[in-house]
Structures are given as structure tokens and as C-alpha cells.
Amino acid sequence: QPMIEFQHVFKSYGRGRNILADITFKVSPGEFIFVSGPSGAGKSTLLKLVGGLEPPSRGAIQVHGQRLEKLSARARPYLRRAVGVILQDTHLLYDRSAFENVMLPLAVTGLAPELASARARAAMEKVGLSGKEALNPIELSGGEQQRLAIARAIVNRPAILIADEPTANLDRDNARRILNVFRDFNRVGVTMLIASHDEALMAEHATRTLRVEPGRFTDVRTRPAAEEQA
Ligand code: ADP
Ligand code: ADP
């Protein structure tokens, strides 16, 4: 079964024009996919549909075995755990520590407190933020805040990670560092879907590019997925 499947999906906001029209594609587990296209074309919209943050206007979407066009309130938390979301606005909370931000998604899982703490520490370590647990996110640099948002998105060990322009506003070194973190997740089997303008950086990692342009959608296979190369 595909990890993600879109069948003839249309999306408009309110009574507006179609941002996405008749989009069909499948994503297999473990793929590393780059969503490219000009600003305003609908990249964020595509990611939000995958994350269940926006409903499709028409068509069928299946993500991790869930049908999203009829996602019930009860199924939503399940989807939340299956899909880690890193949006352009990091949605970090500045009234609590970096560590508490990473703990947030675990609050609803019923995980034992010691286990939850261990997971949150491991997630922060993975993104290179060990030692910064007690700081307020406001005390972190832009790159560190971006990595904190990643730690929060992965703490539940999602099968799919979607990230919207995760390297925007970062210098080259920080951008590479974040891509390396994503590559490590992908190597342990996480399906990656990343929207970015940074074609050069993404070309080093992506196995496939979904190109979103006004009125046009193209699916370009760039090279085999990691497990096929082995
Ligand atoms: P991209 O990520 O490629 O820049 P977006 O998906 O953010 O594109 O936006 C695509 C189009 O949809 C834009 O014209 C944008 O203004 C519009 N749009 C995005 N979100 C909303 C919304 N919540 N309500 C109305 N229009 C929106
Ligand atoms: P709103 O849409 O009003 O901002 P939501 O409750 O839908 O509020 O989501 C708040 C934010 O929590 C999201 O925008 C996203 O940044 C974050 N979030 C949602 N789901 C996940 C997830 N599975 N993993 C990590 N962060 C998530």
C-alpha cells in the first residue's frame, strides 16, 4: 500500500479558484520527495493536505492508511502521530522551555513521564540541541529554532515527515545541517516530503520531485530511493 496516495485531488479556498487541480500521485514508504515550484503555486497547500491540516475540495487522499477526505475527529490524533509537520511558521511556544516544546506532542500519547522525557531528550540530541533544553526558544538562533521545530515534529517517531521551506532564512551551513538531519530520518525509513526553493540543495537528496506550477503538476523521478541503491 502506498504511504501517500492522491487521486484526482482538487483544492480551492472558499469560493476561490482551484489552487491544485486534478492531482494524482503515489508515494512509497521511504521515498524522499522534493516539492518544488514558484511562490504561490500551491506547495504549502499540497503539504497541508498530506498533513490533514486542510481538507481537499474534491478527490481522494489516503495517508498512512487513513482516508483524509472523511477524516473523523477521532482519527485526527492518529494522523498527528503518523505525520510530523514542520510549517514555515514554527508554532513554537515562547512561554515555556525548548524541552517543554518538544514534550508537547507526547502529552496526549499517555507515555510514562520518564519515557516521554527520554524521547524528548533523544529528539533534541538528534537535531544537535543537547544542552539547550532549559532555554526559552526566543533565546535560540533562527537555525536552532528551526531544529527545535524538527525535534518536536519527530518526537512521536512519525512514519512521514513534511516540511515547508525548512531552510528558508538559514545560511548554507545551517541549511545543510537540517538536510542531513532529514537524510538520517530517511535512512531509517521515514518518508520525507519537503517543499523548498533551494533546488541545488534538494537535488543532492531527493529521489523524486513533484513540481507544482500554476495549472500544471509534474512528477519527476530523479534517482532511485536509498533502499534501491543498496
Ligand atoms: P506556495 O507554498 O507554493 O507558495 P501556497 O500553497 O501557500 O503556495 O498558496 C497557493 C495559493 O493559495 C496562493 O495564491 C495563496 O494566496 C492561496 N492560499 C493559501 N492559503 C490560503 C488560505 N488559507 N485561504 C485563501 N487562500 C489561500
Ligand atoms: P492551527 O491550525 O490553529 O495553528 P493546529 O492545532 O491545527 O492549530 O496546529 C498547530 C500546529 O501544531 C500546527 O500548525 C503544526 O505546526 C503543529 N503540528 C500539528 N501537527 C503536528 C505533528 N504531527 N507534528 C508536529 N507538529 C504538529
Side-chain angles (χ1 to χ4, degrees):
Q1 192 186 14
M3 192 60 101
I4 302 168
E5 184 167 16
F6 275 46
Q7 285 176 306
H8 304 292
V9 170
F10 291 73
K11 176 64 182 177
S12 57
Y13 291 101
R15 292 168 167 277
R17 69 193 163 89
N18 280 326
I19 306 300
L20 300 174
D22 202 12
I23 303 262
T24 297
F25 66 91
K26 282 183 203 178
V27 175
S28 300
E31 282 198 84
F32 195 120
I33 294 183
F34 171 32
V35 179
S36 77
S39 187
K43 301 183 295 298
S44 300
T45 299
L46 181 70
L47 295 190
K48 284 177 180 167
L49 290 172
V50 173
L53 303 172
E54 281 286 343
S57 306
R58 253 172 75 194
I61 301 179
Q62 180 270 118
V63 175
H64 203 252
Q66 299 278 306
R67 293 289 299 272
L68 300 200
E69 68 278 8
K70 48 184 179 194
L71 190 67
S72 68
R74 275 176 57 205
R76 208 165 284 279
Y78 171 87
L79 185 74
R80 278 276 167 101
R81 289 202 281 279
V83 185
V85 180
I86 302 153
L87 297 179
Q88 271 180 283
D89 175 347
T90 56
H91 289 274
L92 293 171
L93 301 180
Y94 297 101
D95 63 346
R96 62 198 79 193
S97 70
F99 187 74
E100 286 164 336
N101 268 272
V102 176
M103 286 286 280
L104 274 175
L106 296 174
V108 293
T109 59
L111 214 59
E114 320 80 69
L115 203 55
S117 297
R119 280 255 198 114
R121 269 194 302 276
M124 287 190 72
E125 193 194 337
K126 210 164 271 181
V127 300
L129 287 179
S130 289
K132 312 256 177 180
E133 289 83 356
L135 296 182
N136 186 288
I138 209 84
E139 299 175 86
L140 301 176
S141 71
E144 287 171 336
Q145 291 191 30
Q146 190 63 260
R147 281 185 275 141
L148 185 62
I150 295 172
R152 189 191 53 191
I154 59 155
V155 76
N156 272 325
R157 300 179 182 166
I160 302 169
L161 197 55
I162 63 183
D164 194 2
E165 298 284 358
T167 60
N169 314 316
L170 297 183
D171 60 36
R172 209 72 199 160
D173 284 349
N174 266 308
R176 264 182 206 291
R177 193 158 181 177
I178 281 174
L179 262 297
N180 287 340
V181 169
F182 288 158
R183 189 202 50 211
D184 290 346
F185 294 142
N186 183 241
R187 283 191 178 150
V188 297
V190 177
T191 304
M192 301 290 313
L193 206 60
I194 302 176
S196 175
H197 281 104
D198 195 339
E199 311 244 350
L201 192 63
M202 293 304 303
E204 293 175 24
H205 298 276
T207 54
R208 194 169 146 198
T209 299
L210 299 179
R211 192 160 173 80
V212 183
E213 291 166 292
R216 207 166 108 97
F217 179 77
T218 39
D219 185 345
V220 185
R221 180 88 165 182
T222 35
R223 60 188 160 77
E227 68 264 31
E228 294 168 333
Q229 287 171 341

